[in-house]
PDB file of all heavy atoms in Angstrom:
ATOM      1  N   ALA A 208    -300.722 -40.236  50.140  1.00 94.00           N
ATOM      2  CA  ALA A 208    -301.667 -41.318  49.885  1.00 94.00           C
ATOM      3  C   ALA A 208    -301.037 -42.663  50.066  1.00 94.00           C
ATOM      4  O   ALA A 208    -299.806 -42.805  50.033  1.00 94.00           O
ATOM      5  CB  ALA A 208    -302.287 -41.209  48.487  1.00 94.00           C
ATOM      6  N   LEU A 209    -301.857 -43.696  50.284  1.00 96.00           N
ATOM      7  CA  LEU A 209    -301.421 -45.086  50.362  1.00 96.00           C
ATOM      8  C   LEU A 209    -302.189 -45.886  49.312  1.00 96.00           C
ATOM      9  O   LEU A 209    -303.388 -45.641  49.067  1.00 96.00           O
ATOM     10  CB  LEU A 209    -301.703 -45.708  51.718  1.00 96.00           C
ATOM     11  CG  LEU A 209    -301.092 -45.079  52.971  1.00 96.00           C
ATOM     12  CD1 LEU A 209    -301.553 -45.827  54.193  1.00 96.00           C
ATOM     13  CD2 LEU A 209    -299.581 -45.086  52.886  1.00 96.00           C
ATOM     14  N   ARG A 210    -301.533 -46.846  48.735  1.00 96.00           N
ATOM     15  CA  ARG A 210    -302.220 -47.801  47.843  1.00 96.00           C
ATOM     16  C   ARG A 210    -301.966 -49.194  48.376  1.00 96.00           C
ATOM     17  O   ARG A 210    -300.840 -49.672  48.387  1.00 96.00           O
ATOM     18  CB  ARG A 210    -301.703 -47.669  46.389  1.00 96.00           C
ATOM     19  CG  ARG A 210    -302.447 -48.557  45.401  1.00 96.00           C
ATOM     20  CD  ARG A 210    -301.955 -48.367  44.003  1.00 96.00           C
ATOM     21  NE  ARG A 210    -302.718 -49.181  43.028  1.00 96.00           N
ATOM     22  CZ  ARG A 210    -302.477 -50.424  42.751  1.00 96.00           C
ATOM     23  NH1 ARG A 210    -301.466 -51.092  43.340  1.00 96.00           N
ATOM     24  NH2 ARG A 210    -303.229 -51.100  41.862  1.00 96.00           N
ATOM     25  N   LEU A 211    -303.029 -49.832  48.811  1.00 95.00           N
ATOM     26  CA  LEU A 211    -302.949 -51.134  49.485  1.00 95.00           C
ATOM     27  C   LEU A 211    -303.404 -52.256  48.559  1.00 95.00           C
ATOM     28  O   LEU A 211    -304.601 -52.275  48.159  1.00 95.00           O
ATOM     29  CB  LEU A 211    -303.799 -51.150  50.779  1.00 95.00           C
ATOM     30  CG  LEU A 211    -303.950 -52.478  51.525  1.00 95.00           C
ATOM     31  CD1 LEU A 211    -302.603 -53.052  51.950  1.00 95.00           C
ATOM     32  CD2 LEU A 211    -304.891 -52.320  52.668  1.00 95.00           C
ATOM     33  N   SER A 212    -302.505 -53.187  48.249  1.00 91.00           N
ATOM     34  CA  SER A 212    -302.849 -54.345  47.451  1.00 91.00           C
ATOM     35  C   SER A 212    -303.045 -55.528  48.366  1.00 91.00           C
ATOM     36  O   SER A 212    -302.207 -55.774  49.249  1.00 91.00           O
ATOM     37  CB  SER A 212    -301.762 -54.678  46.450  1.00 91.00           C
ATOM     38  OG  SER A 212    -301.597 -53.611  45.490  1.00 91.00           O
ATOM     39  N   LEU A 213    -304.157 -56.223  48.281  1.00 83.00           N
ATOM     40  CA  LEU A 213    -304.444 -57.396  49.085  1.00 83.00           C
ATOM     41  C   LEU A 213    -304.386 -58.624  48.229  1.00 83.00           C
ATOM     42  O   LEU A 213    -305.186 -58.766  47.275  1.00 83.00           O
ATOM     43  CB  LEU A 213    -305.840 -57.262  49.738  1.00 83.00           C
ATOM     44  CG  LEU A 213    -306.000 -56.049  50.661  1.00 83.00           C
ATOM     45  CD1 LEU A 213    -307.443 -55.903  51.080  1.00 83.00           C
ATOM     46  CD2 LEU A 213    -305.106 -56.210  51.899  1.00 83.00           C
ATOM     47  N   SER A 214    -303.439 -59.509  48.525  1.00 78.00           N
ATOM     48  CA  SER A 214    -303.252 -60.755  47.762  1.00 78.00           C
ATOM     49  C   SER A 214    -303.188 -61.920  48.718  1.00 78.00           C
ATOM     50  O   SER A 214    -302.100 -62.498  48.935  1.00 78.00           O
ATOM     51  CB  SER A 214    -301.992 -60.659  46.911  1.00 78.00           C
ATOM     52  OG  SER A 214    -302.016 -59.525  46.059  1.00 78.00           O
ATOM     53  N   PRO A 215    -304.323 -62.293  49.341  1.00 71.00           N
ATOM     54  CA  PRO A 215    -304.282 -63.299  50.392  1.00 71.00           C
ATOM     55  C   PRO A 215    -304.117 -64.686  49.844  1.00 71.00           C
ATOM     56  O   PRO A 215    -304.527 -64.977  48.715  1.00 71.00           O
ATOM     57  CB  PRO A 215    -305.632 -63.148  51.059  1.00 71.00           C
ATOM     58  CG  PRO A 215    -306.529 -62.689  49.944  1.00 71.00           C
ATOM     59  CD  PRO A 215    -305.698 -61.771  49.064  1.00 71.00           C
ATOM     60  N   ARG A 216    -303.557 -65.561  50.682  1.00 67.00           N
ATOM     61  CA  ARG A 216    -303.493 -66.973  50.362  1.00 67.00           C
ATOM     62  C   ARG A 216    -304.730 -67.579  51.035  1.00 67.00           C
ATOM     63  O   ARG A 216    -304.659 -67.987  52.198  1.00 67.00           O
ATOM     64  CB  ARG A 216    -302.226 -67.581  50.908  1.00 67.00           C
ATOM     65  CG  ARG A 216    -300.969 -66.894  50.322  1.00 67.00           C
ATOM     66  CD  ARG A 216    -299.718 -67.450  50.946  1.00 67.00           C
ATOM     67  NE  ARG A 216    -298.503 -66.748  50.443  1.00 67.00           N
ATOM     68  CZ  ARG A 216    -297.964 -65.692  51.065  1.00 67.00           C
ATOM     69  NH1 ARG A 216    -298.512 -65.259  52.192  1.00 67.00           N
ATOM     70  NH2 ARG A 216    -296.900 -65.126  50.561  1.00 67.00           N
ATOM     71  N   LEU A 217    -305.820 -67.590  50.340  1.00 59.00           N
ATOM     72  CA  LEU A 217    -307.120 -67.973  50.907  1.00 59.00           C
ATOM     73  C   LEU A 217    -307.227 -69.467  51.068  1.00 59.00           C
ATOM     74  O   LEU A 217    -306.845 -70.239  50.197  1.00 59.00           O
ATOM     75  CB  LEU A 217    -308.277 -67.433  50.057  1.00 59.00           C
ATOM     76  CG  LEU A 217    -308.351 -65.922  49.954  1.00 59.00           C
ATOM     77  CD1 LEU A 217    -309.450 -65.522  48.980  1.00 59.00           C
ATOM     78  CD2 LEU A 217    -308.648 -65.281  51.303  1.00 59.00           C
ATOM     79  N   SER A 218    -307.831 -69.872  52.164  1.00 53.00           N
ATOM     80  CA  SER A 218    -308.153 -71.266  52.398  1.00 53.00           C
ATOM     81  C   SER A 218    -309.635 -71.463  52.118  1.00 53.00           C
ATOM     82  O   SER A 218    -310.502 -71.038  52.896  1.00 53.00           O
ATOM     83  CB  SER A 218    -307.818 -71.698  53.857  1.00 53.00           C
ATOM     84  OG  SER A 218    -308.259 -73.003  54.122  1.00 53.00           O
ATOM     85  N   THR A 219    -309.971 -72.092  50.988  1.00 46.00           N
ATOM     86  CA  THR A 219    -311.337 -72.270  50.604  1.00 46.00           C
ATOM     87  C   THR A 219    -311.580 -73.680  50.182  1.00 46.00           C
ATOM     88  O   THR A 219    -310.684 -74.422  49.898  1.00 46.00           O
ATOM     89  CB  THR A 219    -311.716 -71.334  49.404  1.00 46.00           C
ATOM     90  OG1 THR A 219    -310.977 -71.769  48.258  1.00 46.00           O
ATOM     91  CG2 THR A 219    -311.342 -69.908  49.698  1.00 46.00           C
ATOM     92  N   SER A 220    -312.859 -74.008  50.142  1.00 45.00           N
ATOM     93  CA  SER A 220    -313.238 -75.358  49.705  1.00 45.00           C
ATOM     94  C   SER A 220    -312.833 -75.560  48.239  1.00 45.00           C
ATOM     95  O   SER A 220    -312.526 -76.668  47.835  1.00 45.00           O
ATOM     96  CB  SER A 220    -314.744 -75.551  49.861  1.00 45.00           C
ATOM     97  OG  SER A 220    -315.463 -74.526  49.180  1.00 45.00           O
ATOM     98  N   THR A 221    -312.877 -74.488  47.462  1.00 41.00           N
ATOM     99  CA  THR A 221    -312.557 -74.658  46.035  1.00 41.00           C
ATOM    100  C   THR A 221    -311.078 -74.885  45.848  1.00 41.00           C
ATOM    101  O   THR A 221    -310.636 -75.644  45.012  1.00 41.00           O
ATOM    102  CB  THR A 221    -312.994 -73.402  45.258  1.00 41.00           C
ATOM    103  OG1 THR A 221    -312.463 -72.237  45.891  1.00 41.00           O
ATOM    104  CG2 THR A 221    -314.471 -73.301  45.136  1.00 41.00           C
ATOM    105  N   GLU A 222    -310.249 -74.235  46.693  1.00 42.00           N
ATOM    106  CA  GLU A 222    -308.817 -74.425  46.600  1.00 42.00           C
ATOM    107  C   GLU A 222    -308.443 -75.864  46.981  1.00 42.00           C
ATOM    108  O   GLU A 222    -307.488 -76.419  46.456  1.00 42.00           O
ATOM    109  CB  GLU A 222    -308.096 -73.436  47.451  1.00 42.00           C
ATOM    110  CG  GLU A 222    -307.989 -72.057  46.908  1.00 42.00           C
ATOM    111  CD  GLU A 222    -307.072 -71.181  47.704  1.00 42.00           C
ATOM    112  OE1 GLU A 222    -306.851 -71.451  48.876  1.00 42.00           O
ATOM    113  OE2 GLU A 222    -306.552 -70.191  47.118  1.00 42.00           O
ATOM    114  N   ALA A 223    -309.206 -76.405  47.917  1.00 42.00           N
ATOM    115  CA  ALA A 223    -308.912 -77.781  48.351  1.00 42.00           C
ATOM    116  C   ALA A 223    -309.120 -78.720  47.196  1.00 42.00           C
ATOM    117  O   ALA A 223    -308.529 -79.796  47.132  1.00 42.00           O
ATOM    118  CB  ALA A 223    -309.802 -78.139  49.498  1.00 42.00           C
ATOM    119  N   LYS A 224    -309.923 -78.359  46.205  1.00 46.00           N
ATOM    120  CA  LYS A 224    -310.136 -79.206  45.043  1.00 46.00           C
ATOM    121  C   LYS A 224    -309.263 -78.816  43.874  1.00 46.00           C
ATOM    122  O   LYS A 224    -309.466 -79.219  42.750  1.00 46.00           O
ATOM    123  CB  LYS A 224    -311.645 -79.104  44.642  1.00 46.00           C
ATOM    124  CG  LYS A 224    -312.618 -79.570  45.726  1.00 46.00           C
ATOM    125  CD  LYS A 224    -314.045 -79.357  45.227  1.00 46.00           C
ATOM    126  CE  LYS A 224    -315.043 -79.786  46.362  1.00 46.00           C
ATOM    127  NZ  LYS A 224    -316.430 -79.542  45.963  1.00 46.00           N
ATOM    128  N   GLY A 225    -308.299 -77.907  44.135  1.00 49.00           N
ATOM    129  CA  GLY A 225    -307.371 -77.481  43.117  1.00 49.00           C
ATOM    130  C   GLY A 225    -307.935 -76.395  42.203  1.00 49.00           C
ATOM    131  O   GLY A 225    -307.472 -76.199  41.093  1.00 49.00           O
ATOM    132  N   LYS A 226    -309.000 -75.680  42.658  1.00 54.00           N
ATOM    133  CA  LYS A 226    -309.598 -74.649  41.864  1.00 54.00           C
ATOM    134  C   LYS A 226    -309.431 -73.309  42.575  1.00 54.00           C
ATOM    135  O   LYS A 226    -309.230 -73.252  43.742  1.00 54.00           O
ATOM    136  CB  LYS A 226    -311.102 -74.918  41.648  1.00 54.00           C
ATOM    137  CG  LYS A 226    -311.409 -76.256  40.947  1.00 54.00           C
ATOM    138  CD  LYS A 226    -312.912 -76.438  40.828  1.00 54.00           C
ATOM    139  CE  LYS A 226    -313.233 -77.788  40.161  1.00 54.00           C
ATOM    140  NZ  LYS A 226    -314.685 -78.010  40.055  1.00 54.00           N
ATOM    141  N   SER A 227    -309.568 -72.245  41.764  1.00 59.00           N
ATOM    142  CA  SER A 227    -309.478 -70.892  42.335  1.00 59.00           C
ATOM    143  C   SER A 227    -310.936 -70.512  42.774  1.00 59.00           C
ATOM    144  O   SER A 227    -311.881 -70.940  42.190  1.00 59.00           O
ATOM    145  CB  SER A 227    -308.953 -69.872  41.298  1.00 59.00           C
ATOM    146  OG  SER A 227    -307.627 -70.238  40.941  1.00 59.00           O
ATOM    147  N   PRO A 228    -311.033 -69.682  43.807  1.00 62.00           N
ATOM    148  CA  PRO A 228    -312.357 -69.206  44.230  1.00 62.00           C
ATOM    149  C   PRO A 228    -313.042 -68.418  43.136  1.00 62.00           C
ATOM    150  O   PRO A 228    -312.384 -67.702  42.388  1.00 62.00           O
ATOM    151  CB  PRO A 228    -312.097 -68.375  45.467  1.00 62.00           C
ATOM    152  CG  PRO A 228    -310.643 -67.971  45.328  1.00 62.00           C
ATOM    153  CD  PRO A 228    -309.978 -69.102  44.659  1.00 62.00           C
ATOM    154  N   ARG A 229    -314.338 -68.516  42.999  1.00 73.00           N
ATOM    155  CA  ARG A 229    -315.068 -67.800  41.980  1.00 73.00           C
ATOM    156  C   ARG A 229    -315.085 -66.320  42.222  1.00 73.00           C
ATOM    157  O   ARG A 229    -315.099 -65.495  41.321  1.00 73.00           O
ATOM    158  CB  ARG A 229    -316.489 -68.354  41.869  1.00 73.00           C
ATOM    159  CG  ARG A 229    -316.579 -69.761  41.289  1.00 73.00           C
ATOM    160  CD  ARG A 229    -317.984 -70.303  41.476  1.00 73.00           C
ATOM    161  NE  ARG A 229    -318.269 -70.489  42.917  1.00 73.00           N
ATOM    162  CZ  ARG A 229    -319.437 -70.920  43.365  1.00 73.00           C
ATOM    163  NH1 ARG A 229    -320.421 -71.225  42.517  1.00 73.00           N
ATOM    164  NH2 ARG A 229    -319.641 -71.074  44.695  1.00 73.00           N
ATOM    165  N   GLN A 230    -315.070 -65.905  43.515  1.00 79.00           N
ATOM    166  CA  GLN A 230    -314.989 -64.522  43.839  1.00 79.00           C
ATOM    167  C   GLN A 230    -314.384 -64.385  45.213  1.00 79.00           C
ATOM    168  O   GLN A 230    -314.378 -65.306  46.017  1.00 79.00           O
ATOM    169  CB  GLN A 230    -316.374 -63.863  43.777  1.00 79.00           C
ATOM    170  CG  GLN A 230    -317.321 -64.274  44.898  1.00 79.00           C
ATOM    171  CD  GLN A 230    -318.610 -63.480  44.874  1.00 79.00           C
ATOM    172  OE1 GLN A 230    -318.907 -62.849  43.890  1.00 79.00           O
ATOM    173  NE2 GLN A 230    -319.336 -63.503  45.980  1.00 79.00           N
ATOM    174  N   VAL A 231    -313.897 -63.232  45.497  1.00 84.00           N
ATOM    175  CA  VAL A 231    -313.334 -62.879  46.821  1.00 84.00           C
ATOM    176  C   VAL A 231    -314.131 -61.770  47.416  1.00 84.00           C
ATOM    177  O   VAL A 231    -314.483 -60.776  46.730  1.00 84.00           O
ATOM    178  CB  VAL A 231    -311.846 -62.473  46.662  1.00 84.00           C
ATOM    179  CG1 VAL A 231    -311.293 -62.088  48.067  1.00 84.00           C
ATOM    180  CG2 VAL A 231    -311.000 -63.552  46.088  1.00 84.00           C
ATOM    181  N   THR A 232    -314.502 -61.919  48.683  1.00 85.00           N
ATOM    182  CA  THR A 232    -315.227 -60.844  49.415  1.00 85.00           C
ATOM    183  C   THR A 232    -314.298 -60.205  50.375  1.00 85.00           C
ATOM    184  O   THR A 232    -313.661 -60.884  51.184  1.00 85.00           O
ATOM    185  CB  THR A 232    -316.462 -61.429  50.139  1.00 85.00           C
ATOM    186  OG1 THR A 232    -317.360 -61.981  49.171  1.00 85.00           O
ATOM    187  CG2 THR A 232    -317.169 -60.363  50.911  1.00 85.00           C
ATOM    188  N   THR A 233    -314.231 -58.863  50.331  1.00 89.00           N
ATOM    189  CA  THR A 233    -313.369 -58.096  51.244  1.00 89.00           C
ATOM    190  C   THR A 233    -314.251 -57.237  52.095  1.00 89.00           C
ATOM    191  O   THR A 233    -315.156 -56.580  51.606  1.00 89.00           O
ATOM    192  CB  THR A 233    -312.411 -57.215  50.427  1.00 89.00           C
ATOM    193  OG1 THR A 233    -311.622 -58.032  49.569  1.00 89.00           O
ATOM    194  CG2 THR A 233    -311.449 -56.452  51.406  1.00 89.00           C
ATOM    195  N   CYS A 234    -314.009 -57.185  53.380  1.00 90.00           N
ATOM    196  CA  CYS A 234    -314.690 -56.302  54.334  1.00 90.00           C
ATOM    197  C   CYS A 234    -313.699 -55.505  55.116  1.00 90.00           C
ATOM    198  O   CYS A 234    -312.646 -56.033  55.517  1.00 90.00           O
ATOM    199  CB  CYS A 234    -315.579 -57.102  55.294  1.00 90.00           C
ATOM    200  SG  CYS A 234    -316.976 -57.969  54.498  1.00 90.00           S
ATOM    201  N   ILE A 235    -314.011 -54.235  55.347  1.00 93.00           N
ATOM    202  CA  ILE A 235    -313.136 -53.399  56.200  1.00 93.00           C
ATOM    203  C   ILE A 235    -314.025 -52.777  57.282  1.00 93.00           C
ATOM    204  O   ILE A 235    -315.180 -52.465  57.041  1.00 93.00           O
ATOM    205  CB  ILE A 235    -312.442 -52.275  55.379  1.00 93.00           C
ATOM    206  CG1 ILE A 235    -313.458 -51.323  54.770  1.00 93.00           C
ATOM    207  CG2 ILE A 235    -311.516 -52.874  54.326  1.00 93.00           C
ATOM    208  CD1 ILE A 235    -312.799 -50.093  54.149  1.00 93.00           C
ATOM    209  N   LYS A 236    -313.433 -52.658  58.423  1.00 92.00           N
ATOM    210  CA  LYS A 236    -314.125 -52.066  59.596  1.00 92.00           C
ATOM    211  C   LYS A 236    -313.258 -50.953  60.151  1.00 92.00           C
ATOM    212  O   LYS A 236    -312.226 -51.210  60.770  1.00 92.00           O
ATOM    213  CB  LYS A 236    -314.388 -53.121  60.703  1.00 92.00           C
ATOM    214  CG  LYS A 236    -315.143 -52.583  61.865  1.00 92.00           C
ATOM    215  CD  LYS A 236    -315.497 -53.697  62.848  1.00 92.00           C
ATOM    216  CE  LYS A 236    -316.411 -53.135  63.999  1.00 92.00           C
ATOM    217  NZ  LYS A 236    -316.785 -54.230  64.996  1.00 92.00           N
ATOM    218  N   PRO A 237    -313.649 -49.705  59.950  1.00 94.00           N
ATOM    219  CA  PRO A 237    -312.841 -48.589  60.459  1.00 94.00           C
ATOM    220  C   PRO A 237    -312.871 -48.497  61.996  1.00 94.00           C
ATOM    221  O   PRO A 237    -313.847 -48.882  62.621  1.00 94.00           O
ATOM    222  CB  PRO A 237    -313.456 -47.344  59.813  1.00 94.00           C
ATOM    223  CG  PRO A 237    -314.920 -47.769  59.595  1.00 94.00           C
ATOM    224  CD  PRO A 237    -314.874 -49.230  59.256  1.00 94.00           C
ATOM    225  N   SER A 238    -311.776 -47.983  62.542  1.00 92.00           N
ATOM    226  CA  SER A 238    -311.734 -47.788  63.977  1.00 92.00           C
ATOM    227  C   SER A 238    -312.677 -46.661  64.375  1.00 92.00           C
ATOM    228  O   SER A 238    -313.103 -45.821  63.580  1.00 92.00           O
ATOM    229  CB  SER A 238    -310.322 -47.429  64.443  1.00 92.00           C
ATOM    230  OG  SER A 238    -309.944 -46.163  63.936  1.00 92.00           O
ATOM    231  N   SER A 239    -313.028 -46.596  65.622  1.00 88.00           N
ATOM    232  CA  SER A 239    -313.960 -45.593  66.149  1.00 88.00           C
ATOM    233  C   SER A 239    -313.317 -44.175  66.099  1.00 88.00           C
ATOM    234  O   SER A 239    -314.023 -43.173  66.179  1.00 88.00           O
ATOM    235  CB  SER A 239    -314.381 -45.900  67.539  1.00 88.00           C
ATOM    236  OG  SER A 239    -313.277 -45.969  68.399  1.00 88.00           O
ATOM    237  N   THR A 240    -311.996 -44.142  65.910  1.00 90.00           N
ATOM    238  CA  THR A 240    -311.307 -42.828  65.901  1.00 90.00           C
ATOM    239  C   THR A 240    -310.707 -42.558  64.508  1.00 90.00           C
ATOM    240  O   THR A 240    -309.747 -41.832  64.376  1.00 90.00           O
ATOM    241  CB  THR A 240    -310.178 -42.820  66.943  1.00 90.00           C
ATOM    242  OG1 THR A 240    -309.275 -43.930  66.708  1.00 90.00           O
ATOM    243  CG2 THR A 240    -310.755 -42.924  68.353  1.00 90.00           C
ATOM    244  N   PHE A 241    -311.279 -43.169  63.462  1.00 93.00           N
ATOM    245  CA  PHE A 241    -310.782 -42.971  62.100  1.00 93.00           C
ATOM    246  C   PHE A 241    -310.900 -41.503  61.697  1.00 93.00           C
ATOM    247  O   PHE A 241    -311.955 -40.944  61.656  1.00 93.00           O
ATOM    248  CB  PHE A 241    -311.574 -43.858  61.148  1.00 93.00           C
ATOM    249  CG  PHE A 241    -310.996 -43.891  59.723  1.00 93.00           C
ATOM    250  CD1 PHE A 241    -310.273 -44.993  59.270  1.00 93.00           C
ATOM    251  CD2 PHE A 241    -311.224 -42.848  58.844  1.00 93.00           C
ATOM    252  CE1 PHE A 241    -309.768 -45.034  57.988  1.00 93.00           C
ATOM    253  CE2 PHE A 241    -310.747 -42.863  57.563  1.00 93.00           C
ATOM    254  CZ  PHE A 241    -309.980 -43.962  57.129  1.00 93.00           C
ATOM    255  N   ARG A 242    -309.752 -40.882  61.372  1.00 91.00           N
ATOM    256  CA  ARG A 242    -309.699 -39.484  60.984  1.00 91.00           C
ATOM    257  C   ARG A 242    -308.585 -39.263  59.990  1.00 91.00           C
ATOM    258  O   ARG A 242    -307.564 -39.997  60.000  1.00 91.00           O
ATOM    259  CB  ARG A 242    -309.430 -38.554  62.196  1.00 91.00           C
ATOM    260  CG  ARG A 242    -310.510 -38.617  63.286  1.00 91.00           C
ATOM    261  CD  ARG A 242    -311.848 -37.999  62.872  1.00 91.00           C
ATOM    262  NE  ARG A 242    -312.761 -37.905  64.039  1.00 91.00           N
ATOM    263  CZ  ARG A 242    -313.484 -38.934  64.446  1.00 91.00           C
ATOM    264  NH1 ARG A 242    -313.386 -40.134  63.849  1.00 91.00           N
ATOM    265  NH2 ARG A 242    -314.290 -38.807  65.484  1.00 91.00           N
ATOM    266  N   GLY A 243    -308.708 -38.264  59.171  1.00 91.00           N
ATOM    267  CA  GLY A 243    -307.606 -37.778  58.353  1.00 91.00           C
ATOM    268  C   GLY A 243    -307.463 -38.371  56.964  1.00 91.00           C
ATOM    269  O   GLY A 243    -306.527 -38.031  56.222  1.00 91.00           O
ATOM    270  N   ALA A 244    -308.372 -39.241  56.542  1.00 94.00           N
ATOM    271  CA  ALA A 244    -308.285 -39.885  55.204  1.00 94.00           C
ATOM    272  C   ALA A 244    -309.629 -40.395  54.796  1.00 94.00           C
ATOM    273  O   ALA A 244    -310.565 -40.475  55.587  1.00 94.00           O
ATOM    274  CB  ALA A 244    -307.247 -40.992  55.254  1.00 94.00           C
TER     275      ALA A 244
END
């Protein structure tokens, strides 16, 4: 198994004002040959 942690340095309008984003949206798109997991 794999455990993937995503901790991006996001560029957002809220960060520009010195604030953290209210929420983070994550999207994944599997390849057309995704197999085995």
Side-chain angles (χ1 to χ4, degrees):
L209 301 178
R210 184 178 184 275
L211 172 61
S212 297
L213 298 171
S214 304
R216 303 176 184 92
L217 297 174
S218 175
T219 66
S220 57
T221 51
E222 283 190 335
K224 299 177 182 178
K226 301 178 182 179
S227 298
R229 290 168 295 178
Q230 71 174 16
V231 178
T232 297
T233 303
C234 293
I235 63 171
K236 183 176 184 179
S238 68
S239 58
T240 56
F241 188 103
R242 299 290 187 278

